Amino acid sequence: MDSFATNSKKSFHIRSNSLPSKPHPVVAEVNEHLCRLQASEATSSSSTLCQKLDGLQDLHNCIDKLLLLPLTHQALVDNKSVDDLLEGSLKLLDVCASAKDVLSQMKECAHELEFALRRRRGDIVVDVQKYLNSRKMMKKAIHKALKGMEKTSFQESDESSEIVSLLKEAETVTYNSIESLLIFVAGPKMPSKMSKWSLVSKLMQPKRVACKDDGTYGNEVEMVDASLNSIINHKFDFLVQGEDVQNSLRKLELCIHDIEEDLESLYRHLIKNRVSFLNILNH
């Protein structure tokens, strides 16, 4: 009987090891954030963009914790894809830094123009044209950067662990989100069926709420560009509607400020991730 009991215990122990183990809670949390971001709507407004950046911060906060786990250390040390992850983290930092520079430049231009319009000294058209020239150069730089951005892809192989796959997915989601941010700042081309003046008339509708646009009237960037182009084309009575233009510029500044804060927080997480990668490799 004692022998039978002993054998039964051993047999039970062996069977229990063969059962599929549950993923670590942090791994499950990273998976959850990834699924949420991948299912989120396309970025078409400042509000959805901020929501996506908030989601990325939550994701990378979990990745911070994931990179501290012993099982992650083991997975990265034993996997040949770790060099790709290290290179990818550097690319993310470069792209994020470029986006930060673009936002800073745009906010400064908007602030200078809003201040000039408030003073109303000299030729207003000159100040508006200066802003539009800066926007034109900015758009060229952004579109050039977008063309140079390599789409990150990851082909999972038999030797790729689940953790490595999760980290590559996070890299791709983050990369694509920053790309969306740059597209948002550059602004789309003006639709042929909608004149700049028709966009401006929609801007003046009292029910429009800044930073919570639903895409019906265009985002804050598009509307400011359209209204300023109308000033240049002399289709705009500044004495009558100048205050609306100044308000739209102030709202644009506030929206850029919100995006900047989220992007700066994300940038700090990316730096922390890279330091963790390097620490793992150096051990």
Side-chain angles (χ1 to χ4, degrees), residues 28-57:
E29 195 176 356
V30 171
N31 246 321
E32 184 181 337
H33 285 300
L34 274 172
C35 291
R36 191 176 298 122
L37 282 165
Q38 290 166 343
S40 62
E41 61 181 303
T43 302
S44 60
S45 68
S46 60
S47 57
T48 56
L49 182 57
C50 284
Q51 288 171 10
K52 182 156 282 189
L53 289 173
D54 286 341
L56 285 174
Q57 290 177 62

Side-chain angles (χ1 to χ4, degrees), residues 11-280:
S11 177
F12 178 78
H13 181 66
I14 293 171
R15 285 199 299 271
S16 66
N17 280 341
S18 67
L19 292 174
S21 59
K22 290 184 178 180
H24 192 282
V26 176
V27 174
E29 195 176 356
V30 171
N31 246 321
E32 184 181 337
H33 285 300
L34 274 172
C35 291
R36 191 176 298 122
L37 282 165
Q38 290 166 343
S40 62
E41 61 181 303
T43 302
S44 60
S45 68
S46 60
S47 57
T48 56
L49 182 57
C50 284
Q51 288 171 10
K52 182 156 282 189
L53 289 173
D54 286 341
L56 285 174
Q57 290 177 62
D58 292 337
L59 169 65
H60 285 278
N61 185 49
C62 287
I63 289 177
D64 288 342
K65 294 183 286 185
L66 181 65
L67 291 174
L68 296 176
L69 297 177
L71 64 93
T72 302
H73 288 219
Q74 189 64 41
L76 293 182
V77 168
D78 293 345
N79 199 288
K80 295 180 181 180
S81 300
V82 68
D83 289 336
D84 291 336
L85 288 170
L86 200 58
E87 183 181 353
S89 71
L90 185 59
K91 285 183 179 180
L92 281 180
L93 281 172
D94 288 343
V95 172
C96 196
S98 297
K100 285 172 58 182
D101 290 341
V102 167
L103 287 172
S104 178
Q105 180 185 350
M106 187 171 179
K107 188 173 72 171
E108 182 180 351
C109 289
H111 178 72
E112 288 179 357
L113 179 57
E114 190 271 322
F115 181 69
L117 296 180
R118 192 168 0 113
R119 287 182 306 166
R120 299 191 184 185
R121 293 178 183 175
D123 190 352
I124 293 174
V125 174
V126 173
D127 293 314
V128 171
Q129 189 62 60
K130 181 182 176 182
Y131 174 89
L132 291 175
N133 288 341
S134 296
R135 284 283 295 138
K136 189 174 181 180
M137 292 177 61
M138 195 183 304
K139 284 185 178 185
K140 281 186 177 180
I142 290 173
H143 287 302
K144 183 178 179 180
L146 289 172
K147 285 183 180 180
M149 287 173 71
E150 298 179 5
K151 292 288 185 183
T152 59
S153 59
F154 177 62
Q155 299 297 325
E156 187 172 355
S157 62
D158 293 336
E159 63 182 14
S160 297
S161 70
E162 179 188 9
I163 289 178
V164 172
S165 299
L166 283 177
L167 291 172
K168 290 300 293 185
E169 282 185 53
E171 177 190 318
T172 300
V173 167
T174 305
Y175 200 79
N176 291 341
S177 297
I178 296 175
E179 183 182 50
S180 296
L181 187 157
L182 290 172
I183 292 172
F184 172 85
V185 173
K189 293 181 180 179
M190 189 69 66
S192 57
K193 294 182 180 180
M194 180 176 286
S195 69
K196 294 172 183 176
W197 177 242
S198 65
L199 275 174
V200 175
S201 65
K202 288 183 176 182
L203 172 66
M204 303 312 166
Q205 295 187 25
K207 291 185 179 180
R208 174 171 166 75
V209 179
C211 299
K212 292 184 180 179
D213 50 280
D214 56 5
T216 306
Y217 306 123
N219 64 47
E220 295 82 5
V221 177
E222 295 173 50
M223 299 311 299
V224 168
D225 284 355
S227 60
L228 295 180
N229 272 297
S230 295
I231 292 176
I232 295 296
N233 295 328
H234 307 291
K235 295 179 178 179
F236 195 93
D237 187 346
F238 189 80
L239 293 177
V240 176
Q241 296 164 322
E243 186 64 29
D244 292 308
V245 178
Q246 293 176 60
N247 286 336
S248 66
L249 280 166
R250 283 192 288 269
K251 291 168 183 175
L252 175 60
E253 287 180 65
L254 290 173
C255 288
I256 293 176
H257 176 74
D258 289 342
I259 296 171
E260 270 187 316
E261 286 191 335
D262 285 335
L263 194 61
E264 180 60 37
S265 180
L266 175 61
Y267 187 71
R268 289 195 296 269
H269 278 304
L270 294 176
I271 290 175
K272 193 173 181 181
N273 288 169
R274 181 164 176 79
V275 170
S276 295
F277 279 131
L278 291 170
N279 286 338
I280 292 171

Side-chain angles (χ1 to χ4, degrees), residues 1-9:
M1 290 295 292
D2 290 340
S3 174
F4 177 78
T6 301
N7 290 336
S8 296
K9 286 180 181 180

